[in-house]
Amino acid sequence: MKLNASNLTSLSTALILGLSVFSAQAEKVVSLEQAITLAQENDPWLHGSRLKQSAVENRSIASGTLPDPKVSLGIMNVPTDTWDLDQEGMTQLKVGVSQMFPRGDSLEIKQDQLKIESTKFPLLRENRKAKLKSQVSQLWLDVYLAQQTIKLIESDWALFEQMAEVAKASYSNVVGKTRQQDVIRAQLEIVQLDDRLTSQKQKLETTIARLNEWLHIYDSARLNESFNFDAQPLEFSVSKELPSIRLKNPTVLKASNYSRNRLAQELANHPAILAIDVKRKASEKGVELAKQQYEPQWGVNASYAYRDNMPSGDNRADLFSVGVTFDLPLFTENRQDKQVAASIAESEAVKTEKLLLTKQMISEVEKELRQLKRLSDRQSIYQEQLLKQTHDQAEASLTAYTNDDGDFAEVVRARIAELNARISALRIDVDALKTVARINYFFAHTQSKSNAEHKPMHTQHLSNHQFGEK
């Protein structure tokens, strides 16, 4: 059966009526690389992280500075009967200066601690960029899946319409074995196809709305101005070609030499893990700082007292005083000892954070690897068997029906099965790429000499021996 001009016209009319606002603005195309770049370059969180790092760095400088000296002014021993400043020899105008010195090396330790803390912000930003890359990749691929599924459904719409027209004409002319239920079945399939198309458009529009969150242009120089959310279009499309996403560090993931210990060593270079290492070093400085509470706190004070002349005109000597103050940390059991113990406990707790995150990452990587292997197996089944077999079955059913040797319902089932197989194959390819994107997050900024040797994931199936046991 071939499409005639009238059927093509009907198909075009139906498609035009079924197009959404999205299709009208499909001239704006965003590639995966563009989406990732926009998300990473226009993330306000990254700018806020730089500001926080600057704040900690400035605090580190301030924390290494001695406290400001204190100046005191006063009039001492003024007689209350006459309020005459030269009546009594003890009356004096006194100016004093005092300076406190922190305990032990607490200033230097606190400064070092803040300097160490400031080094975690670049790592947190790298972790954020890696997360954005993974998250945006998955959203982009969801948009691609919905967009291409719509294309597949629309490409088969004309065939189902033609089948319905042929069945209706054959039934009207009492030609062949066409029954009324065949006409109804053909019309029902078109309605169900329309519902599937509407459902996919719903997924497309909602996923675009989620992806749109990361595509707004952000200018950190205009932070005080109102943000123009209307600058980013509501609707756009993604590239028509499935992108190539390479798996980072495939060597360590091969079944032949896979080791959790080796994987843990690779994960130790992840920004999120390194940030915990920074937190641990800062907490160790906190222990040192707490131990400085055992040291006395010193203070120096000096004062100069001016006295007026005696009533007889004789001079009175001015007075100068200097002194030192310090405290004695004698009762340390319930204060200094507990502060040191608390700091040590906090430092040890950070080590558990690293272990917990490493265990979680290893579990996630293994889960994704198993999923990737099964997706690879399914890709092989679809590409080598299912797609060809469903197509051959659909053609055979159609040939049998046109020769009055087949059932119309079987023709419809075969065509639906072929469409479902093509959509499933597309979904498997997309799921495989999404899985690779999630795995790549865990290998952010690790070096792998095998990247160039690894075949890019595209529509071809993955090699089983690379990603799991046979």
Side-chain angles (χ1 to χ4, degrees):
M1 295 178 65
K2 296 183 179 179
L3 299 177
N4 54 40
S6 61
N7 287 333
L8 288 174
T9 302
S10 301
L11 174 62
S12 301
T13 303
L15 290 178
I16 291 174
L17 293 176
L19 290 176
S20 64
V21 179
F22 174 85
S23 301
Q25 297 185 359
E27 65 274 3
K28 181 175 177 57
V29 179
V30 178
S31 67
L32 176 59
E33 183 178 354
Q34 289 173 334
I36 294 173
T37 301
L38 283 172
Q40 292 180 338
E41 292 183 352
N42 296 280
D43 185 17
W45 190 96
L46 297 176
H47 179 61
S49 174
R50 296 186 189 94
L51 294 176
K52 291 178 181 179
Q53 179 180 354
S54 177
V56 174
E57 290 173 345
N58 288 325
R59 275 197 201 97
S60 70
I61 298 174
S63 64
T65 306
L66 288 173
D68 293 331
K70 296 181 179 180
V71 177
S72 61
L73 296 173
I75 299 178
M76 303 176 62
N77 305 319
V78 179
T80 58
D81 54 349
T82 62
W83 300 101
D84 189 355
L85 298 181
D86 59 0
Q87 176 181 328
E88 301 294 339
M90 296 180 63
T91 303
Q92 49 192 287
L93 177 64
K94 186 177 181 180
V95 178
V97 178
S98 62
Q99 176 67 60
M100 297 300 297
F101 297 92
R103 303 177 188 275
D105 298 326
S106 58
L107 281 184
E108 181 180 356
I109 295 174
K110 183 62 177 178
Q111 186 176 34
D112 291 342
Q113 184 184 38
L114 290 175
K115 284 181 180 179
I116 292 173
E117 288 183 1
S118 68
T119 61
K120 75 178 179 181
F121 290 98
L123 297 171
L124 294 178
R125 289 196 292 273
E126 293 300 331
N127 182 56
R128 172 76 172 188
K129 289 181 179 179
K131 281 187 175 180
L132 283 178
K133 185 174 183 179
S134 175
Q135 184 174 357
V136 171
S137 296
Q138 293 179 70
L139 288 174
W140 190 98
L141 289 169
D142 284 337
V143 174
Y144 175 87
L145 176 60
Q147 182 175 288
Q148 294 304 115
T149 302
I150 290 173
K151 185 177 179 181
L152 289 175
I153 295 175
E154 290 176 343
S155 66
D156 277 10
W157 194 307
L159 179 60
F160 281 95
E161 278 198 333
Q162 184 186 26
M163 291 168 57
E165 291 293 333
V166 171
K168 183 177 181 181
S170 178
Y171 175 75
S172 301
N173 297 328
V174 196
V175 178
K177 299 186 295 182
T178 305
R179 297 162 295 179
Q180 183 180 12
Q181 66 185 46
D182 295 334
V183 178
I184 297 175
R185 174 66 184 273
Q187 294 174 343
L188 176 62
E189 291 299 336
I190 292 178
V191 174
Q192 290 178 337
L193 204 63
D194 186 35
D195 178 65
R196 291 184 68 178
L197 185 63
T198 302
S199 175
Q200 290 300 321
K201 288 181 178 179
Q202 176 187 356
K203 292 180 180 178
L204 177 64
E205 291 167 356
T206 55
T207 310
I208 283 179
R210 293 174 59 198
L211 180 58
N212 224 332
E213 175 187 354
W214 306 106
L215 304 184
H216 291 279
I217 304 300
Y218 172 75
D219 186 0
S220 59
R222 297 184 173 183
L223 189 60
N224 295 326
E225 299 180 12
S226 298
F227 190 84
N228 183 14
F229 292 99
D230 291 331
Q232 170 63 22
L234 291 173
E235 311 292 347
F236 55 87
S237 64
V238 299
S239 306
K240 297 180 180 179
E241 298 295 330
L242 197 62
S244 172
I245 303 178
R246 296 180 180 273
L247 184 65
K248 293 182 180 179
N249 247 340
T251 303
V252 74
L253 302 177
K254 286 184 179 178
S256 59
N257 63 350
Y258 176 77
S259 167
R260 284 177 174 169
N261 289 334
R262 187 177 177 189
L263 178 58
Q265 291 175 358
E266 294 290 334
L267 295 176
N269 295 322
H270 192 278
I273 298 292
L274 294 176
I276 295 180
D277 287 337
V278 171
K279 184 178 179 181
R280 177 183 56 79
K281 292 178 182 178
S283 66
E284 290 174 352
K285 286 292 181 180
V287 175
E288 294 183 30
L289 187 62
K291 290 180 178 179
Q292 298 303 306
Q293 298 299 314
Y294 292 108
E295 301 291 333
Q297 185 176 24
W298 293 82
V300 177
N301 60 81
S303 62
Y304 180 85
Y306 168 79
R307 296 196 298 173
D308 202 358
N309 295 334
M310 293 187 295
S312 62
D314 295 336
N315 290 331
R316 289 193 179 103
D318 297 335
L319 304 175
F320 176 77
S321 304
V322 63
V324 175
T325 60
F326 58 93
D327 58 9
L328 295 175
L330 297 178
F331 310 104
T332 62
E333 182 177 357
N334 292 326
R335 185 177 180 183
Q336 286 86 344
D337 291 351
K338 299 303 181 183
Q339 288 177 343
V340 172
S343 299
I344 293 175
E346 289 177 353
S347 179
E348 292 298 316
V350 175
K351 297 179 182 179
T352 65
E353 291 182 23
K354 181 178 180 179
L355 178 59
L356 286 172
L357 183 57
T358 302
K359 289 173 58 180
Q360 180 184 357
M361 285 186 169
I362 291 175
S363 177
E364 288 293 326
V365 169
E366 291 182 343
K367 181 195 75 173
E368 299 296 347
L369 285 176
R370 286 177 172 82
Q371 177 167 306
L372 189 59
K373 182 185 182 300
R374 295 309 171 191
L375 288 171
S376 173
D377 295 340
R378 295 184 67 194
Q379 282 179 322
S380 299
I381 293 173
Y382 271 86
Q383 292 173 14
E384 297 172 7
Q385 301 178 52
L386 273 179
L387 290 177
K388 183 178 183 301
Q389 291 174 358
T390 54
H391 177 73
D392 292 344
Q393 181 187 18
E395 292 296 321
S397 300
L398 183 58
T399 301
Y401 177 72
T402 55
N403 294 330
D404 292 332
D405 191 28
D407 185 51
F408 181 79
E410 182 61 29
V411 176
V412 174
R413 283 195 296 267
R415 288 298 176 183
I416 291 295
E418 182 184 12
L419 175 61
N420 289 339
R422 293 164 65 190
I423 293 176
S424 295
L426 173 64
R427 182 178 292 109
I428 291 171
D429 289 339
V430 170
D431 286 343
L433 286 178
K434 291 171 65 176
T435 304
V436 172
R438 289 194 294 269
I439 293 176
N440 283 345
Y441 162 74
F442 298 105
F443 294 93
H445 299 286
T446 56
Q447 300 296 324
S448 174
K449 297 180 181 179
S450 301
N451 282 348
E453 301 173 1
H454 176 65
K455 293 185 292 185
M457 283 192 56
H458 196 41
T459 54
Q460 299 180 352
H461 69 274
L462 300 170
S463 299
N464 290 340
H465 70 278
Q466 288 185 323
F467 307 110
E469 297 180 357
K470 293 184 179 179

